[in-house]
Amino acid sequence: MQHKSKMAGADGDDSLYPIAVLIDELRNEDVQLRLNSIKKLSTIALALGVERTRTELLPFLTDTIYDEDEVLLALAEQLGNFTMLVGGPEYVHCLLPPLESLATVEETVVRDKAVESLRKISQEHSPVDLEVHFEPLVKRLASGDWFTSRTSACGLFSVCYPRVSSTVKAEIRQHFRTLCSDDTPMVRRAAASKLGEFAKVLELDYVKSDIISLFTALASDEQDSVRLLAVEACVSIATLLPQEDLETLVMPTLRQAAEDKSWRVRYMVADKFSELQKAVGPEITKNDLVPAFQNLLKDCEAEVRAAAANKVKEFCENLPEDSRETIIMTHILPCVKELVSDTNQHVKSALASVIMGLSTILGKDNTVEHLLPLFLAQLKDECPEVRLNIISNLDCVNEVIGIRQLSQSLLPAIVELAEDAKWRVRLAIIEYMPLLAGQLGVEFFDEKLNTLCMAWLIDHVYAIREAATCNLMKLVEKFGAEWAQNTIVPKVLGMANDPNYLHRMTTLFCINALSEVCGQDITTKQMLPVVLKMSNDQVANVRFNVAKSLQKIGPVLDSNALQTEVKPVLEKLDTDTDMDVKYFAQEAISGKYTTLSIFFLYEVASLGPRSLLVVLVLCQTHRSTMCPAECVSQCER
Amino acid sequence: METTKLPPTSPSSPTTGFSVPSAEKVDGFPRRSMRRARQRRSHSSSQFRYQSSQVELTPLPLLKDAPVAELHNLFCKKLQQCCVLFDFLDCVADLKGKEIKRAALNELVESVATSRGVLIEPLYPEAIKMISVNIFRTLPPSENPEFDPEEDEPTLEASWPHLQLVYEFFLRFLESPDFQPSMAKRYVDQKFVLQLLELFDSEDPREREYLKTILHRVYGKLLGLRAYIRKQINNIFLRFIYETEHFNGVAELLEILGSIINGFALPLKSEHKQFLVRVLIPLHTAKSLSIFHAQLAYCVVQFMEKDATVTEYIIRGLLKYWPKTCTQKEVMFLGEIEEILDVIEPSQFIRVQEPLFKQITACISSPHFQVAERALYFWNNEYILSLIEENSQVILPLVFTTLYRVSKEHWNQTIVSLIYNVLKTFMEMNSKLFDDLTASYKCHLVSFSE
C-alpha cells in the first residue's frame, strides 16, 4: 500500500499523472476499477519505463496479491506478456516473484493462468537464468506446504527440463517422482496429467527407467480419478518407446486399465482408443486391442459402451490393411450387431452416428449382406435420435451401394420421423431434407417425399411451418426454378384459398422465401397475382402480411409491375381500417418508393458525375437495402 | 446430535420429499422426454459386475436353532453366503437366491444386535469382508448428467433390499457392546475408510444416511483413524470446490464434522484452523450451497464457539466470497452472518464491524426485497442491536445515508416500513448523532441539487 504514494506522487511529474490515476485505481474499492486498471498494466509499465517497472511496479504487484480472484486472473495473464516491459529476456526473471505467489493461490483458474504465464516466460530465460532463477522457483513450488503450489509445480517441469544441466535434470526428475506419490490426490492428479508431457522431454533411458515406474504406480492408484489420467499419459509414453519395449513396459498396465473395476477408467480407455491404437502399432492392436475393444463394446456400463461405440469406425479404419476385413467380420461385427439392440438409447445413437462409415471399409458386398440389415434395424429403432443419426449419415452408404438399396426402408423411417409427436424430431428431419433430396435424386423425391414436404407447411407448430418454408427454398436451390414451377409453386399458391388463415399466411411466407430463388419471371407471373388478390382477405393478419410480402418481393419485380400493380394495392392497404395493416402498408410504401425512385435516379445518374453524387446522397438517406450495390454498379458505368 | 439417531430400518420412501421437477416450469421439451425415458429405469447399480460365476445358494439352518458350539461356525458360513452378489437390475433373476441371502442377512443383523458373545475375533475379518464385498463398488454414472439434488429425483440403488441389510449389520456390528476396536482396527483400516468415504457420493439418500451414522461410529471408536478421516474429508471437499463441483454427500460429511469440531481440544491446532480457512470458508462458493448450507453454517459457528479468535477470518472470508449475482445465496449468507453475530464476542465485533456493515448496507439497498428484508431483520435481534448500540458512533455514519435514501426510493412497502423502524431505533439510540447526520445529509442534498 505504501508503494502507491511513493510511486505516483513523489516526483510531481505531471506527465505521469494519468499513470498515477491508474495506479490509484489499482487500490480502488471497486473491483471493476481495479480490474480495468490491471488490464491497462502494460500501459502503466510502458509509461514508467523498464527501470521503475522492475523496482517499483513489480514489488507493488507482488505485495497486492491477496485481491479478488478476478483481478488476480487478469494480473496472471498480463505478466505473461511483460518480458519487454521489464527490459527484455535479460530481466525476465523479475516477473517470477509475483507469478510464484499467483501460482499458489487457491482458485484453480488463477493458478492455471499463472502456470501458463510461467511456461511462456520460461522460454525467454537464458539457460543460466533458468538454473539460477526459474528452476529454484519450481523446486520451491514442488515442496510447498499446501497442495496448490505443488499442483502448479507439476506443469513447470517439462518446460525447464530440456535446457538445464544434467545435475539439475536429476533434481527435476526427483521432484517429479516425489509429486507422483504425493499424499494429496489433487497433486497426484496434476502429476498424472503432466506425465505424458514430461515423458516427451526426457531422454529415452529415463523414460524407460523413471517414467514407466511412475506410470505403473499412477495407473494403479487407489483413486480412479488418478488412474484414468494415467490412461491419457499412456498414449504419449507408448509413442515414445520403441516397438519391442511396448509389450513389457506398457501393455500390462494398459490391459489392466481396460479391465479396471471403475467404469471411469474403462471409459477413458474407450475414449482414447484410437490414439492408443496408433501409439501401440498394428501387431499389438491385432493381439491385444481387438479383444480389449470387444470387451469395451460389451461393457456392463452403458457409458463405456457408448464411448466404445463412438470409436467403432475409427478403430476399424486404422486396423492393419492385411487383416482388416477378417478382424472386422469375425470380431467386431458380432459386437456391433449386439449394440444395435442395446438397452440404452445413448449407446445405440452413438453407434448409429458411426456405423454407416463401416460400409466404405467393408465394400459393397459385405455392406449389402451384413451391414444393411443393421442399418435397417436402426432405421426402425424406437428412439428417434438413432434413426436421425442413420439418416444424417446416408452419404457414406450412398457412395458404396447407392441409396436405392435403402430407399425402401428409408421411406417408412423418414415418414415416421416426419410425423413424430415431438416437434423437435420433425424439425430435425426437415433439416436433413435438402441433403436427402440431393442423394435420392429428383425423381425419387417427387414420387415419395414431396408430399411430406408440403404436409409440413400445414403443421400445427409454427417452427415446423417456418422450417418447411426454408426447406422449400433449399430444395429449389438444388432442383432449379423450373422444377419449382412444376411441382411446388402450384401447391403453395393453392393454399392461398385455404379456409384456415394460418395456411393462407404460409403461402405468403413461402413466397417470401421462394421469390428470389425462383426469379423474376415466376414471381411476377405466378406469385404476384396471388399476393395481390390476398390483399382483400378478411383476416387483417393476412392483409398486413401481404404488405410485408410485397415489400419483400419488390426487389425481384420489374419497375413496371411495381408501378402498375404493387403500388395501387399498397395504397389501398394504406387506407385499411386495421391499424396494423396501415402501418405495414406504409412501411412497404416508403421502402417501395425508394426502390421505385431508384429507377428514376438511375436516369438522373446517367446525366453526369455531379448528379451521381446526388444519387449517392439520396441512396444513403433512403437506406434501401438494394441501393448501394445498384448505385455502385451505376457509378462504375 | 442428529447422527446419533438410527436411520429408519425399513426402506422408507425417499422420494416424498422431492418437489415437482423444474423441467415442467420452462419449455423443457428435451428434459421432459429424457425424464420419461429415465423413469422406466430409475434404479442403477454397477455392483453386479464383479460376480464371476453365479453360485447356487442353499439355505443354512437358522442361527437361533444352532447349538452353542456350532453358532460361530454357522455365523461364519452365513457371512460367506452373503458375499454372493445378485443382479437387481433384472428383478426376476434368481429370486430364490436373493431370498436366501436376505433371510441370512436379517438373521445376522438380529443376532449381532441382540445376543451377546457372538462377536469373537475370527469373525471380524469375515464380517468386514462381507461388508466390503457388498458395499464397495464404483458408483454408477449418474443417469442425469445435470442432476440437480434440489430439483431432480435421485437415482436409487437397485440392490438396496440387500444393501440396506448389510449397512444395518455393519451398524449393529459397530454398536454392539462386544465390539472391540483393538480387533477391528486390523480390518477397518485406512483403505477401508477411503472406500467408505467415496460411497458418500451415492445419489441414493438412504445410503448416505447409513454411511453418515456408520462413519460417525467409526470415527468415535477407532481413534487411530481420526486424523486420516479428517484428511480424506478435506481432500473430498477440496476436489469438490476446485475440481468437480460435484459430490452428493457434502451435507452428510459436514454433519459429521459438526460434531467432530465440537470435540476439538483447545487451543485449536493449526491443522483445524487451516481446515476452517482453506476448506470450510471456500465451500461457500459452491453453486449447490443451498443443499448443505445449514450444516456448513453449523460447523462455522462451532468453530467460533470453540475459539473466538477465528471470528475475523470467518467474517472476512464470507465477505470475500459474498455472492455477486445470486440473491438466493445472498440471503443464505445473511442468515449465516446472523448466526455468527448471535455468538460473537464484542471485542471481535469491533474488529470486523466496518467491512461487515458496508456489506450489510449494500444488502439493504438491494432491489431484491428478500435480501433487503433479511438484512433489516438484524435489527430485530436484541444481541445484535446491543452491539450496534455500543458502536453506534462507527456504524450509524456507515449506514445512515443508504437507509435514508432507500427509505425514499425502495419499491417495496415492507422494506420502507422496516427501514423507518431501523431509523427510529437509531434516533432513540443516539439522537445527537442522528440529528447531525440528518442535517449534513440534507445539506449535502441541497448542495448537490444546486
Side-chain angles (χ1 to χ4, degrees), chain A residues 29 68 106 108 146-147 183-186 189 222 225 259-263 266 300-301 303 422 424, chain B residues 27 29-30 33 37 46 49-50 138-141 194 198 231 235 238-239 242-243 274 278 324 358:
Chain A
E29 268 190 30
E68 299 261 345
E106 242 91 22
T108 325
W146 191 241
F147 80 94
D183 214 21
T184 326
M186 274 79 73
R189 278 196 286 276
E222 58 191 10
S225 54
E259 287 169 7
D260 197 281
K261 68 174 162 43
S262 163
W263 61 271
R266 301 197 304 275
C300 66
E301 211 58 80
E303 217 90 350
K422 300 189 182 85
R424 277 174 205 255
Chain B
D27 157 44
F29 180 87
S33 65
S46 55
R49 153 183 182 82
Y50 313 113
T138 307
L139 294 168
L194 185 66
E198 276 172 5
K231 196 173 80 183
N235 287 340
L238 289 169
R239 180 165 191 227
Y242 295 115
E243 291 183 7
Q274 195 176 53
R278 301 195 121 156
K324 294 195 171 57
K358 272 185 194 158

Short mmCIF file of all heavy atoms in Angstrom, two decimals, chain A residues 29 68 106 108 146-147 183-186 189 222 225 259-263 266 300-301 303 422 424, chain B residues 27 29-30 33 37 46 49-50 138-141 194 198 231 235 238-239 242-243 274 278 324 358:
data_model
loop_
_atom_site.label_atom_id
_atom_site.label_comp_id
_atom_site.label_asym_id
_atom_site.label_seq_id
_atom_site.Cartn_x
_atom_site.Cartn_y
_atom_site.Cartn_z
N GLU A 29 -11.64 0.66 -4.16
CA GLU A 29 -12.52 -0.33 -3.51
C GLU A 29 -13.36 -1.10 -4.50
O GLU A 29 -13.73 -2.23 -4.27
CB GLU A 29 -13.46 0.39 -2.54
CG GLU A 29 -12.91 0.47 -1.14
CD GLU A 29 -13.96 0.95 -0.18
OE1 GLU A 29 -15.16 0.71 -0.41
OE2 GLU A 29 -13.57 1.58 0.82
N GLU A 68 -9.20 -9.99 -5.13
CA GLU A 68 -10.26 -10.82 -5.72
C GLU A 68 -9.66 -11.69 -6.82
O GLU A 68 -8.79 -11.24 -7.57
CB GLU A 68 -11.32 -9.92 -6.36
CG GLU A 68 -12.00 -8.99 -5.42
CD GLU A 68 -13.35 -9.53 -4.98
OE1 GLU A 68 -13.84 -10.47 -5.62
OE2 GLU A 68 -13.88 -9.01 -3.99
N GLU A 106 -5.55 -20.29 -4.16
CA GLU A 106 -6.50 -21.40 -4.12
C GLU A 106 -7.25 -21.59 -5.43
O GLU A 106 -7.45 -22.69 -5.88
CB GLU A 106 -7.52 -21.13 -3.01
CG GLU A 106 -7.50 -22.16 -1.92
CD GLU A 106 -6.57 -21.78 -0.80
OE1 GLU A 106 -6.25 -20.59 -0.66
OE2 GLU A 106 -6.13 -22.70 -0.07
N THR A 108 -8.45 -22.25 -8.87
CA THR A 108 -7.81 -23.01 -9.94
C THR A 108 -7.53 -22.17 -11.20
O THR A 108 -6.45 -22.27 -11.77
CB THR A 108 -8.68 -24.21 -10.35
OG1 THR A 108 -9.31 -24.69 -9.18
CG2 THR A 108 -7.86 -25.29 -10.97
N TRP A 146 1.17 -26.30 0.98
CA TRP A 146 -0.21 -26.50 0.60
C TRP A 146 -0.26 -27.09 -0.80
O TRP A 146 0.62 -26.82 -1.63
CB TRP A 146 -0.94 -25.16 0.69
CG TRP A 146 -2.43 -25.24 0.57
CD1 TRP A 146 -3.18 -24.65 -0.39
CD2 TRP A 146 -3.34 -25.94 1.43
NE1 TRP A 146 -4.51 -24.94 -0.18
CE2 TRP A 146 -4.64 -25.73 0.93
CE3 TRP A 146 -3.19 -26.73 2.58
CZ2 TRP A 146 -5.77 -26.27 1.52
CZ3 TRP A 146 -4.32 -27.27 3.16
CH2 TRP A 146 -5.59 -27.04 2.64
N PHE A 147 -1.29 -27.89 -1.05
CA PHE A 147 -1.32 -28.62 -2.31
C PHE A 147 -1.31 -27.74 -3.55
O PHE A 147 -0.85 -28.14 -4.61
CB PHE A 147 -2.55 -29.54 -2.34
CG PHE A 147 -3.83 -28.85 -2.70
CD1 PHE A 147 -4.28 -28.84 -4.01
CD2 PHE A 147 -4.59 -28.20 -1.73
CE1 PHE A 147 -5.47 -28.20 -4.35
CE2 PHE A 147 -5.77 -27.56 -2.06
CZ PHE A 147 -6.21 -27.56 -3.38
N ASP A 183 0.87 -37.18 -1.12
CA ASP A 183 -0.18 -37.60 -0.22
C ASP A 183 -1.56 -37.14 -0.70
O ASP A 183 -2.56 -37.82 -0.48
CB ASP A 183 0.11 -36.90 1.13
CG ASP A 183 -0.28 -37.76 2.27
OD1 ASP A 183 -0.39 -38.99 2.06
OD2 ASP A 183 -0.48 -37.22 3.36
N THR A 184 -1.58 -35.98 -1.31
CA THR A 184 -2.85 -35.38 -1.73
C THR A 184 -3.24 -35.85 -3.12
O THR A 184 -2.45 -35.72 -4.05
CB THR A 184 -2.71 -33.85 -1.77
OG1 THR A 184 -1.84 -33.46 -0.74
CG2 THR A 184 -4.03 -33.17 -1.61
N PRO A 185 -4.45 -36.36 -3.28
CA PRO A 185 -4.85 -36.82 -4.61
C PRO A 185 -4.86 -35.70 -5.66
O PRO A 185 -4.60 -35.96 -6.83
CB PRO A 185 -6.27 -37.37 -4.40
CG PRO A 185 -6.66 -37.03 -3.03
CD PRO A 185 -5.46 -36.68 -2.26
N MET A 186 -5.10 -34.47 -5.21
CA MET A 186 -5.10 -33.35 -6.16
C MET A 186 -3.75 -33.24 -6.85
O MET A 186 -3.66 -32.99 -8.05
CB MET A 186 -5.38 -32.02 -5.44
CG MET A 186 -6.82 -31.69 -5.26
SD MET A 186 -7.56 -32.58 -3.90
CE MET A 186 -6.85 -31.75 -2.49
N ARG A 189 -3.14 -36.12 -9.19
CA ARG A 189 -3.86 -35.91 -10.44
C ARG A 189 -3.11 -34.95 -11.35
O ARG A 189 -2.98 -35.18 -12.56
CB ARG A 189 -5.27 -35.36 -10.15
CG ARG A 189 -6.28 -36.43 -9.80
CD ARG A 189 -7.70 -35.92 -9.89
NE ARG A 189 -8.05 -35.03 -8.79
CZ ARG A 189 -8.47 -35.46 -7.60
NH1 ARG A 189 -8.60 -36.74 -7.36
NH2 ARG A 189 -8.77 -34.59 -6.65
N GLU A 222 -5.02 -45.65 -5.80
CA GLU A 222 -6.25 -46.03 -5.11
C GLU A 222 -7.45 -45.23 -5.60
O GLU A 222 -8.60 -45.66 -5.44
CB GLU A 222 -6.07 -45.86 -3.60
CG GLU A 222 -5.72 -44.44 -3.21
CD GLU A 222 -5.30 -44.29 -1.75
OE1 GLU A 222 -5.08 -45.29 -1.09
OE2 GLU A 222 -5.18 -43.13 -1.31
N SER A 225 -9.83 -41.36 -10.15
CA SER A 225 -9.58 -40.09 -10.84
C SER A 225 -8.11 -39.95 -11.23
O SER A 225 -7.78 -39.23 -12.17
CB SER A 225 -10.01 -38.92 -9.96
OG SER A 225 -9.38 -39.01 -8.70
N GLU A 259 -9.56 -53.22 -18.05
CA GLU A 259 -10.44 -54.05 -17.22
C GLU A 259 -10.60 -53.50 -15.82
O GLU A 259 -10.98 -54.21 -14.89
CB GLU A 259 -9.86 -55.48 -17.15
CG GLU A 259 -10.03 -56.23 -18.44
CD GLU A 259 -9.22 -57.51 -18.45
OE1 GLU A 259 -8.64 -57.87 -17.41
OE2 GLU A 259 -9.17 -58.14 -19.52
N ASP A 260 -10.30 -52.23 -15.67
CA ASP A 260 -10.35 -51.61 -14.35
C ASP A 260 -11.75 -51.79 -13.74
O ASP A 260 -12.74 -51.87 -14.46
CB ASP A 260 -10.05 -50.12 -14.49
CG ASP A 260 -9.67 -49.48 -13.17
OD1 ASP A 260 -10.59 -49.19 -12.36
OD2 ASP A 260 -8.47 -49.28 -12.95
N LYS A 261 -11.80 -51.83 -12.42
CA LYS A 261 -13.11 -52.01 -11.81
C LYS A 261 -13.94 -50.74 -11.84
O LYS A 261 -15.14 -50.77 -11.67
CB LYS A 261 -12.98 -52.56 -10.38
CG LYS A 261 -12.37 -51.63 -9.37
CD LYS A 261 -12.45 -52.29 -7.99
CE LYS A 261 -11.55 -51.76 -6.92
NZ LYS A 261 -11.37 -50.36 -6.74
N SER A 262 -13.28 -49.60 -12.06
CA SER A 262 -14.04 -48.36 -12.16
C SER A 262 -14.40 -48.07 -13.62
O SER A 262 -13.54 -48.06 -14.50
CB SER A 262 -13.22 -47.20 -11.61
OG SER A 262 -13.77 -45.98 -12.04
N TRP A 263 -15.68 -47.80 -13.85
CA TRP A 263 -16.11 -47.53 -15.22
C TRP A 263 -15.48 -46.26 -15.76
O TRP A 263 -15.33 -46.11 -16.96
CB TRP A 263 -17.64 -47.44 -15.29
CG TRP A 263 -18.21 -46.33 -14.47
CD1 TRP A 263 -18.59 -46.39 -13.17
CD2 TRP A 263 -18.43 -44.98 -14.89
NE1 TRP A 263 -19.04 -45.17 -12.75
CE2 TRP A 263 -18.94 -44.28 -13.78
CE3 TRP A 263 -18.22 -44.28 -16.08
CZ2 TRP A 263 -19.26 -42.93 -13.83
CZ3 TRP A 263 -18.54 -42.93 -16.12
CH2 TRP A 263 -19.06 -42.27 -15.01
N ARG A 266 -12.32 -47.34 -17.49
CA ARG A 266 -12.63 -48.06 -18.73
C ARG A 266 -13.17 -47.09 -19.78
O ARG A 266 -12.86 -47.18 -20.96
CB ARG A 266 -13.66 -49.17 -18.46
CG ARG A 266 -13.20 -50.20 -17.44
CD ARG A 266 -14.03 -51.47 -17.50
NE ARG A 266 -15.46 -51.25 -17.34
CZ ARG A 266 -16.10 -51.15 -16.17
NH1 ARG A 266 -15.43 -51.27 -15.04
NH2 ARG A 266 -17.41 -50.96 -16.14
N CYS A 300 -20.44 -53.60 -19.02
CA CYS A 300 -21.72 -53.60 -18.31
C CYS A 300 -22.25 -52.18 -18.12
O CYS A 300 -23.42 -51.98 -17.83
CB CYS A 300 -21.58 -54.29 -16.97
SG CYS A 300 -20.51 -53.40 -15.84
N GLU A 301 -21.39 -51.20 -18.27
CA GLU A 301 -21.81 -49.82 -18.06
C GLU A 301 -22.09 -49.15 -19.41
O GLU A 301 -21.22 -49.11 -20.28
CB GLU A 301 -20.71 -49.08 -17.31
CG GLU A 301 -21.18 -47.98 -16.41
CD GLU A 301 -22.17 -48.44 -15.35
OE1 GLU A 301 -21.75 -48.99 -14.31
OE2 GLU A 301 -23.37 -48.23 -15.56
N GLU A 303 -22.32 -46.15 -20.30
CA GLU A 303 -21.40 -45.04 -20.59
C GLU A 303 -20.19 -45.53 -21.37
O GLU A 303 -19.75 -44.90 -22.34
CB GLU A 303 -20.93 -44.46 -19.25
CG GLU A 303 -20.78 -42.98 -19.24
CD GLU A 303 -22.08 -42.30 -18.81
OE1 GLU A 303 -23.12 -42.98 -18.71
OE2 GLU A 303 -22.04 -41.12 -18.59
N LYS A 422 -43.08 -35.46 -31.40
CA LYS A 422 -42.24 -34.38 -30.88
C LYS A 422 -41.81 -33.46 -32.02
O LYS A 422 -41.20 -33.90 -32.98
CB LYS A 422 -41.01 -34.96 -30.19
CG LYS A 422 -41.37 -35.85 -29.04
CD LYS A 422 -40.13 -36.21 -28.26
CE LYS A 422 -40.49 -37.15 -27.13
NZ LYS A 422 -40.52 -38.55 -27.57
N ARG A 424 -39.58 -31.31 -32.18
CA ARG A 424 -38.14 -31.16 -32.39
C ARG A 424 -37.58 -32.26 -33.29
O ARG A 424 -36.62 -32.07 -34.03
CB ARG A 424 -37.39 -31.13 -31.07
CG ARG A 424 -37.41 -29.77 -30.45
CD ARG A 424 -36.78 -29.77 -29.08
NE ARG A 424 -37.32 -28.67 -28.30
CZ ARG A 424 -36.64 -27.57 -28.03
NH1 ARG A 424 -35.42 -27.42 -28.45
NH2 ARG A 424 -37.19 -26.61 -27.33
N ASP B 27 -39.94 -24.30 -20.92
CA ASP B 27 -40.34 -25.03 -22.12
C ASP B 27 -40.05 -26.51 -21.95
O ASP B 27 -40.92 -27.35 -22.13
CB ASP B 27 -39.61 -24.45 -23.33
CG ASP B 27 -39.54 -25.44 -24.46
OD1 ASP B 27 -40.57 -26.08 -24.71
OD2 ASP B 27 -38.49 -25.56 -25.08
N PHE B 29 -38.73 -29.08 -23.27
CA PHE B 29 -39.03 -30.21 -24.13
C PHE B 29 -38.05 -31.37 -24.02
O PHE B 29 -38.46 -32.49 -23.73
CB PHE B 29 -39.15 -29.74 -25.58
CG PHE B 29 -39.45 -30.85 -26.51
CD1 PHE B 29 -40.76 -31.24 -26.74
CD2 PHE B 29 -38.42 -31.55 -27.11
CE1 PHE B 29 -41.03 -32.28 -27.57
CE2 PHE B 29 -38.69 -32.59 -27.94
CZ PHE B 29 -39.99 -32.97 -28.19
N PRO B 30 -36.73 -31.10 -24.19
CA PRO B 30 -35.83 -32.26 -24.20
C PRO B 30 -35.74 -32.93 -22.85
O PRO B 30 -35.68 -34.13 -22.76
CB PRO B 30 -34.49 -31.65 -24.61
CG PRO B 30 -34.61 -30.22 -24.27
CD PRO B 30 -36.06 -29.86 -24.36
N SER B 33 -38.72 -35.26 -22.07
CA SER B 33 -38.74 -36.53 -22.80
C SER B 33 -37.66 -37.46 -22.26
O SER B 33 -37.85 -38.65 -22.17
CB SER B 33 -38.52 -36.27 -24.28
OG SER B 33 -37.23 -35.74 -24.48
N ALA B 37 -38.04 -41.28 -20.35
CA ALA B 37 -37.22 -42.45 -20.67
C ALA B 37 -36.55 -42.96 -19.41
O ALA B 37 -36.40 -44.16 -19.22
CB ALA B 37 -36.18 -42.07 -21.70
N SER B 46 -23.86 -50.76 -10.27
CA SER B 46 -22.79 -51.40 -11.02
C SER B 46 -22.15 -52.46 -10.15
O SER B 46 -21.01 -52.82 -10.27
CB SER B 46 -21.77 -50.38 -11.49
OG SER B 46 -21.30 -49.66 -10.40
N ARG B 49 -21.32 -56.53 -11.55
CA ARG B 49 -20.25 -56.82 -12.48
C ARG B 49 -19.20 -57.79 -11.95
O ARG B 49 -18.67 -58.60 -12.68
CB ARG B 49 -19.63 -55.49 -12.85
CG ARG B 49 -18.23 -55.55 -13.25
CD ARG B 49 -17.69 -54.18 -13.54
NE ARG B 49 -16.32 -54.34 -13.99
CZ ARG B 49 -15.98 -54.65 -15.21
NH1 ARG B 49 -16.88 -54.79 -16.11
NH2 ARG B 49 -14.70 -54.81 -15.53
N TYR B 50 -18.90 -57.69 -10.67
CA TYR B 50 -17.72 -58.42 -10.17
C TYR B 50 -17.99 -59.89 -9.88
O TYR B 50 -17.12 -60.62 -9.51
CB TYR B 50 -17.18 -57.73 -8.92
CG TYR B 50 -17.06 -56.26 -9.16
CD1 TYR B 50 -17.86 -55.35 -8.49
CD2 TYR B 50 -16.18 -55.78 -10.15
CE1 TYR B 50 -17.78 -54.01 -8.77
CE2 TYR B 50 -16.11 -54.44 -10.44
CZ TYR B 50 -16.90 -53.57 -9.74
OH TYR B 50 -16.82 -52.24 -10.04
N THR B 138 -17.72 -49.21 -7.54
CA THR B 138 -17.65 -47.91 -8.20
C THR B 138 -19.08 -47.46 -8.46
O THR B 138 -19.86 -48.19 -9.06
CB THR B 138 -16.91 -48.03 -9.53
OG1 THR B 138 -15.67 -48.65 -9.28
CG2 THR B 138 -16.67 -46.67 -10.14
N LEU B 139 -19.41 -46.29 -7.97
CA LEU B 139 -20.78 -45.84 -8.14
C LEU B 139 -21.07 -45.68 -9.63
O LEU B 139 -20.21 -45.25 -10.39
CB LEU B 139 -20.99 -44.51 -7.41
CG LEU B 139 -20.88 -44.62 -5.89
CD1 LEU B 139 -20.80 -43.25 -5.25
CD2 LEU B 139 -22.06 -45.39 -5.31
N PRO B 140 -22.27 -46.05 -10.04
CA PRO B 140 -22.59 -45.98 -11.48
C PRO B 140 -22.65 -44.52 -11.94
O PRO B 140 -22.84 -43.63 -11.12
CB PRO B 140 -23.97 -46.62 -11.56
CG PRO B 140 -24.56 -46.45 -10.21
CD PRO B 140 -23.42 -46.49 -9.25
N PRO B 141 -22.46 -44.29 -13.23
CA PRO B 141 -22.58 -42.92 -13.73
C PRO B 141 -23.99 -42.42 -13.49
O PRO B 141 -24.95 -43.19 -13.56
CB PRO B 141 -22.29 -43.05 -15.22
CG PRO B 141 -22.46 -44.49 -15.55
CD PRO B 141 -22.19 -45.26 -14.30
N LEU B 194 -11.21 -45.12 3.23
CA LEU B 194 -11.20 -44.32 2.00
C LEU B 194 -12.34 -44.75 1.06
O LEU B 194 -13.05 -43.92 0.50
CB LEU B 194 -9.85 -44.49 1.30
CG LEU B 194 -9.66 -43.62 0.06
CD1 LEU B 194 -9.64 -42.15 0.44
CD2 LEU B 194 -8.36 -43.98 -0.66
N GLU B 198 -15.70 -42.66 -0.24
CA GLU B 198 -16.08 -42.47 -1.65
C GLU B 198 -17.56 -42.78 -1.88
O GLU B 198 -18.18 -42.21 -2.76
CB GLU B 198 -15.20 -43.35 -2.55
CG GLU B 198 -13.88 -42.68 -2.88
CD GLU B 198 -12.91 -43.57 -3.61
OE1 GLU B 198 -13.29 -44.70 -3.96
OE2 GLU B 198 -11.77 -43.14 -3.80
N LYS B 231 -8.43 -35.88 7.11
CA LYS B 231 -7.64 -35.50 5.94
C LYS B 231 -8.35 -35.89 4.65
O LYS B 231 -8.41 -35.10 3.69
CB LYS B 231 -6.27 -36.19 6.01
CG LYS B 231 -5.26 -35.56 5.07
CD LYS B 231 -3.87 -36.13 5.28
CE LYS B 231 -3.77 -37.46 4.58
NZ LYS B 231 -2.49 -38.12 4.77
N ASN B 235 -9.76 -33.68 1.48
CA ASN B 235 -9.48 -33.90 0.05
C ASN B 235 -10.76 -33.95 -0.77
O ASN B 235 -10.81 -33.39 -1.86
CB ASN B 235 -8.70 -35.20 -0.15
CG ASN B 235 -7.26 -35.05 0.32
OD1 ASN B 235 -6.76 -33.94 0.43
ND2 ASN B 235 -6.61 -36.16 0.60
N LEU B 238 -11.96 -30.36 -1.06
CA LEU B 238 -11.13 -29.54 -1.96
C LEU B 238 -11.39 -29.91 -3.41
O LEU B 238 -11.45 -29.05 -4.28
CB LEU B 238 -9.65 -29.72 -1.62
CG LEU B 238 -9.24 -29.06 -0.31
CD1 LEU B 238 -7.84 -29.48 0.09
CD2 LEU B 238 -9.32 -27.54 -0.43
N ARG B 239 -11.55 -31.21 -3.64
CA ARG B 239 -11.84 -31.63 -5.00
C ARG B 239 -13.21 -31.09 -5.43
O ARG B 239 -13.38 -30.61 -6.54
CB ARG B 239 -11.84 -33.16 -5.06
CG ARG B 239 -12.13 -33.66 -6.43
CD ARG B 239 -11.79 -35.11 -6.60
NE ARG B 239 -11.85 -35.42 -8.01
CZ ARG B 239 -12.47 -36.48 -8.51
NH1 ARG B 239 -13.02 -37.35 -7.70
NH2 ARG B 239 -12.49 -36.68 -9.79
N TYR B 242 -12.69 -27.15 -5.97
CA TYR B 242 -11.81 -26.64 -7.02
C TYR B 242 -11.79 -27.48 -8.29
O TYR B 242 -11.30 -27.04 -9.31
CB TYR B 242 -10.38 -26.48 -6.50
CG TYR B 242 -10.29 -25.43 -5.43
CD1 TYR B 242 -9.96 -25.76 -4.12
CD2 TYR B 242 -10.57 -24.10 -5.73
CE1 TYR B 242 -9.90 -24.79 -3.13
CE2 TYR B 242 -10.51 -23.13 -4.75
CZ TYR B 242 -10.17 -23.48 -3.45
OH TYR B 242 -10.12 -22.52 -2.48
N GLU B 243 -12.30 -28.71 -8.23
CA GLU B 243 -12.20 -29.54 -9.44
C GLU B 243 -13.55 -29.90 -10.04
O GLU B 243 -13.84 -29.55 -11.17
CB GLU B 243 -11.39 -30.80 -9.15
CG GLU B 243 -9.91 -30.48 -8.91
CD GLU B 243 -9.07 -31.72 -8.69
OE1 GLU B 243 -9.56 -32.84 -8.85
OE2 GLU B 243 -7.89 -31.55 -8.33
N GLN B 274 -6.56 -24.34 9.67
CA GLN B 274 -6.37 -24.38 8.24
C GLN B 274 -7.61 -24.97 7.55
O GLN B 274 -8.04 -24.49 6.51
CB GLN B 274 -5.15 -25.24 7.92
CG GLN B 274 -4.67 -25.04 6.51
CD GLN B 274 -3.41 -25.82 6.24
OE1 GLN B 274 -3.34 -27.02 6.47
NE2 GLN B 274 -2.40 -25.14 5.76
N ARG B 278 -9.24 -22.75 4.81
CA ARG B 278 -8.97 -23.17 3.43
C ARG B 278 -10.00 -24.14 2.88
O ARG B 278 -10.01 -24.42 1.70
CB ARG B 278 -7.59 -23.81 3.35
CG ARG B 278 -6.53 -22.84 3.81
CD ARG B 278 -5.18 -23.34 3.39
NE ARG B 278 -4.53 -22.35 2.55
CZ ARG B 278 -3.21 -22.27 2.41
NH1 ARG B 278 -2.43 -23.13 3.03
NH2 ARG B 278 -2.68 -21.36 1.63
N LYS B 324 -22.29 -12.35 -5.78
CA LYS B 324 -22.41 -11.10 -6.53
C LYS B 324 -23.71 -11.03 -7.30
O LYS B 324 -24.26 -9.97 -7.50
CB LYS B 324 -21.24 -10.97 -7.49
CG LYS B 324 -19.93 -10.80 -6.75
CD LYS B 324 -18.84 -10.31 -7.68
CE LYS B 324 -17.59 -9.96 -6.89
NZ LYS B 324 -17.08 -11.06 -6.07
N LYS B 358 -20.57 -2.35 5.89
CA LYS B 358 -20.60 -1.89 4.50
C LYS B 358 -21.37 -2.89 3.65
O LYS B 358 -22.17 -2.51 2.81
CB LYS B 358 -19.17 -1.75 3.95
CG LYS B 358 -18.58 -0.38 4.23
CD LYS B 358 -17.22 -0.24 3.56
CE LYS B 358 -16.51 0.97 4.14
NZ LYS B 358 -15.06 0.88 3.96
#
